């Protein structure tokens, strides 16, 4: 991995998108305002004890539904050229489909217009995990094929209404996360009962690809001329040892995570071979028509890349595990470690409060290698955008001390080194078209509640 070398004469290419990001559910608050319907996350955080670490909710969050003008003014004052935010589906369609809520369309119209007035280009994500609760409860959400038409119907309203005011679109945020990382609690009342729990992530992934690609083609047919991309996510994968088995585990992990969506969208409309053989016993193949529809539906390779992690083979090796394909825990054919192995030179661990894994490290030295890897493996024609990167600073004392200014020195060096890594990759010939810092404000970090602070603006939430 090349080390960042300083060269102060370097600069980002002309037209580079240089922005900050957020997502509707994490910043808006106003969950009952102006006709918004509930999303699954309202139900999870309000009704499932312990789903977020301290049972915090998004009811108020950053109040951005009301404060967006101030927030956009701050973004403009930072000097960045784009703001990436998402639209809440259950504001626009309180029941997921059916009656459109005009107040919601007016609201986002004003958000978009305010960005434009300030010279900040709006980047819009249609879906950042906040599924209308009604769709979860009526047919079980993403594992059901019914989601596809409902999503495309929603996408049609959004693309038609805002059209060419928006230069960059992301259709779905991180299906790996909403399909695989956040399974609904067992016996959750809106859960799909027809599909075994262990299969649900993969049905969700199948429908995500169909919904994404249909929405992509629909937007193109409506004459949308902004870039429209698939927003994937995942960290850089490093073998724990130099054994052949650990190298295989890394390859399997690329297939299983990024490749699950990036192979269909960028290579051939279909899953990587290892996934195909895993899926064979329960998931229908895509038809040739579907493959054709899915392939090529991303104008840039949009990737949310925060960290790196080590992968290793299970006991008995990767292939022995894969042969046991009936094992629903197939992902365990590779393991990952969040420890801080001395071989990595001692990574600084991010202060995330997620209940399941301390997934974040300050590992900026891999950035050029990761960008090369994406360029070589998926060969995106429109280049690569890092659509989220950021770091959670530990702020143990702020709640009691309530300082006016907090110094986020670890995050600052993360950003500086990450950007140096991007410059190095650009200098080495990788086409990187933009990057978006997560996040503009501290916000509701899903299961971590307000316990993880990614904001470059500190928000004294409590
Ligand atoms: C991004 O995902 C999200 O797009 C964004 O909304 C979020 O604010 C940001 O991360 C920072 O957290 O609950 O222990 O299972 C990055 C990928 C996928 C990393 C889900 C954390 C869950 C950990 N994330 N994963 S856990």
């Amino acid at each position: 991995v090349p080390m960042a070398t300083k060269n102060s004469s370097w600069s980002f290419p002309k037209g580079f998108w240089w922005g900050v990001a957020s997502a509707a559910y994490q910043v808006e608050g106003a969950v009952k305002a102006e006709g918004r319907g509930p999303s699954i996350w309202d139900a999870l955080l309000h009704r499932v004890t312990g789903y977020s670490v301290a049972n915090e909710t998004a009811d108020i969050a950053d109040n951005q539904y009301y404060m967006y003008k101030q927030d956009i003014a701050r973004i403009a004052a930072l000097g960045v050229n784009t703001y990436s935010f998402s639209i809440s589906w259950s504001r626009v369609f309180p029941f997921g489909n059916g009656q459109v809520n005009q107040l919601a369309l007016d609201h986002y119209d004003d958000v978009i217009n305010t960005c434009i007035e300030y010279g900040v280009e709006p980047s819009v994500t249609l879906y950042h995990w906040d599924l209308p609760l009604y769709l979860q409860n009526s047919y079980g959400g993403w594992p059901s094929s019914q989601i596809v038409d409902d999503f495309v119907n929603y996408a049609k309203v959004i693309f038609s209404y805002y059209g060419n005011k928006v230069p960059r679109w992301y259709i779905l945020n991180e299906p790996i996360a909403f399909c695989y990382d956040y399974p609904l609690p067992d016996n959750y009342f809106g859960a799909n009962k027809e599909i075994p729990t262990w299969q649900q992530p993969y049905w969700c992934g199948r429908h995500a690809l169909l919904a994404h690609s249909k929405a992509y083609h629909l937007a193109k047919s409506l004459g949308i001329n902004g870039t429209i991309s698939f927003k994937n996510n995942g960290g850089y994968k490093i073998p724990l040892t130099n054994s052949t088995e650990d190298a295989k585990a890394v390859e399997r992990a690329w297939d299983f995570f990024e490749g699950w969506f990036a192979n269909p969208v960028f290579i051939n409309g279909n899953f990587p071979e290892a996934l195909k053989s895993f899926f064979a016993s329960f998931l229908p193949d895509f038809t040739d028509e579907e493959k054709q529809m899915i392939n090529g539906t991303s104008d840039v390779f949009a990737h949310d890349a925060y960290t790196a992690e080590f992968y290793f083979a299970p006991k008995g090796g990767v292939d022995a595990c894969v042969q046991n394909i009936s094992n629903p825990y197939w992902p365990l054919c590779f393991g990952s470690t969040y420890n801080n192995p001395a071989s990595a030179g001692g990574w600084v661990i991010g202060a995330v409060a997620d209940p399941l894994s301390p997934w974040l490290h300050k590992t900026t030295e891999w950035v050029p290698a990761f960008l090369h890897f994406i360029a070589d493996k998926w060969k995106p024609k429109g280049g690569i955008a890092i659509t989220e990167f950021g770091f959670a600073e530990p702020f143990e004392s702020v709640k009691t001390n309530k300082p006016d200014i907090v110094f986020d020195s670890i995050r600052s060096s993360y950003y500086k080194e990450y950007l140096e890594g991007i410059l190095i990759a650009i200098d080495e010939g990788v086409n990187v078209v933009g990057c978006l810092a997560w996040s503009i404000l501290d916000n509701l970090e899903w299961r971590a509640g307000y316990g993880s602070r990614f904001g470059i603006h500190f928000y004294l939430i409590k």
Side-chain angles (χ1 to χ4, degrees):
V1 177
M3 293 301 291
T5 46
K6 283 178 203 120
N7 183 336
S8 56
S9 70
W10 289 358
S11 58
F12 288 93
K14 211 164 172 261
F16 193 79
W17 329 327
W18 179 251
V20 290
S22 75
Y25 191 67
Q26 297 181 261
V27 298
E28 285 182 349
V31 292
K32 294 180 184 171
E34 298 193 335
R36 176 187 181 276
S39 80
I40 51 170
W41 276 90
D42 294 298
L44 290 167
L45 298 185
H46 272 273
R47 303 183 66 171
V48 181
T49 306
Y51 199 74
S52 71
V53 275
N55 294 310
E56 289 161 323
T57 74
D59 290 2
I60 297 169
D62 293 328
N63 226 5
Q64 189 172 91
Y65 191 75
Y66 300 114
M67 306 286 278
Y68 60 95
K69 290 199 165 134
Q70 286 88 330
D71 290 346
I72 293 165
R74 278 175 180 273
I75 292 166
L78 279 174
V80 297
N81 60 28
T82 187
Y83 178 38
S84 177
F85 57 91
S86 78
I87 290 180
S88 155
W89 182 353
S90 70
R91 284 194 195 279
V92 177
F93 284 102
F95 296 95
N97 56 28
Q99 184 71 36
V100 178
N101 174 16
Q102 185 60 41
L103 291 173
L105 291 177
D106 293 345
H107 169 78
Y108 291 111
D109 201 36
D110 203 37
V111 173
I112 289 169
N113 292 341
T114 306
C115 286
I116 294 167
E117 278 160 31
Y118 275 96
V120 171
E121 293 179 335
S123 297
V124 174
T125 298
L126 268 57
Y127 181 77
H128 198 122
W129 309 352
D130 43 359
L131 183 73
L133 183 63
Y134 186 77
L135 301 184
Q136 184 69 48
N137 293 343
S138 51
Y139 53 73
W142 285 99
S144 160
S145 62
Q146 290 185 63
I147 193 78
V148 177
D149 286 349
D150 282 340
F151 181 78
V152 174
N153 176 58
Y154 159 62
K156 185 176 185 178
V157 168
I158 300 301
F159 284 126
S160 316
Y161 205 78
Y162 305 112
N164 289 330
K165 280 200 217 174
V166 175
R168 280 180 292 279
W169 299 92
Y170 305 101
I171 298 177
L172 302 174
N173 181 68
E174 303 184 354
I176 297 168
F178 73 76
C179 291
Y180 175 77
D181 289 332
Y182 294 108
L184 296 174
D186 276 346
N187 302 321
Y188 180 71
F189 62 93
N192 186 314
K193 301 273 189 309
E194 284 145 37
I195 300 172
T197 312
W198 69 268
Q199 288 181 13
Q200 291 197 13
Y202 313 110
W203 289 90
C204 170
R206 183 176 203 280
H207 301 141
L209 282 163
L210 293 171
H212 162 83
S213 54
K214 283 193 177 175
Y216 178 94
H217 290 295
L218 177 90
K220 297 288 176 182
S221 75
L222 291 169
I224 299 296
N225 56 24
T227 63
I228 309 173
S229 303
F230 189 90
K231 194 164 176 271
N232 212 342
N233 72 286
Y236 189 57
K237 298 166 195 16
I238 303 169
L240 187 60
T241 72
N242 57 14
S243 73
T244 333
E245 284 303 319
D246 283 0
K248 266 191 212 163
V250 164
E251 205 182 309
R252 196 53 47 84
W254 287 117
D255 281 349
F256 184 80
F257 291 117
E258 280 84 343
W260 181 7
F261 297 99
N263 281 39
V265 169
F266 289 92
I267 299 180
N268 59 2
N270 212 343
F271 300 111
E273 289 303 320
L275 270 178
K276 265 176 21 196
S277 49
F278 170 56
F279 289 161
S281 67
F282 63 93
L283 207 65
D285 286 341
F286 287 127
T287 62
D288 287 345
E289 226 170 89
E290 286 169 335
K291 285 180 208 158
Q292 216 185 335
M293 177 175 79
I294 293 166
N295 191 9
T297 53
S298 194
D299 296 339
V300 304
F301 195 103
H303 202 68
D304 299 351
Y306 286 77
T307 193
E309 60 234 353
F310 288 95
Y311 284 85
F312 57 88
K315 280 204 187 89
V318 172
D319 290 334
C321 170
V322 169
Q323 277 155 22
N324 181 16
I325 218 83
S326 60
N327 176 1
Y329 300 103
W330 181 85
L332 297 183
C333 287
F334 52 82
S336 60
T337 171
Y338 296 98
N339 293 336
N340 194 20
S343 58
W347 288 344
V348 175
I349 299 181
V352 293
D354 296 86
L356 302 180
S357 67
W359 55 278
L360 181 67
H361 302 108
K362 181 168 171 289
T363 56
T364 44
E365 63 279 6
W366 52 266
V367 170
F370 197 3
L371 291 164
H372 277 285
F373 183 86
I374 292 172
D376 294 346
K377 188 167 171 67
W378 290 291
K379 303 184 172 42
K381 290 192 196 80
I384 303 167
I386 296 296
T387 35
E388 288 182 27
F389 70 122
F391 197 76
E393 187 91 12
F395 285 130
E396 288 86 9
S397 61
V398 292
K399 279 188 184 163
T400 37
N401 297 342
K402 297 191 177 19
D404 293 331
I405 295 179
V406 290
F407 293 96
D408 44 357
S409 52
I410 307 174
R411 174 160 46 232
S412 301
S413 63
Y414 171 98
Y415 277 128
K416 182 171 169 291
E417 290 161 19
Y418 201 119
L419 294 171
E420 282 173 359
I422 294 176
L423 278 175
I424 289 170
I426 292 174
D427 189 60
E428 291 168 354
V430 183
N431 182 18
V432 187
V433 296
C435 65
L436 304 170
W438 185 277
S439 179
I440 179 62
L441 301 161
D442 288 339
N443 60 55
L444 186 279
E445 271 293 332
W446 309 108
R447 297 195 69 178
Y450 298 101
S452 302
R453 288 175 176 272
F454 279 86
I456 57 177
H457 285 94
F458 177 78
Y459 190 98
L460 200 57
I461 284 163
K462 287 204 261 182

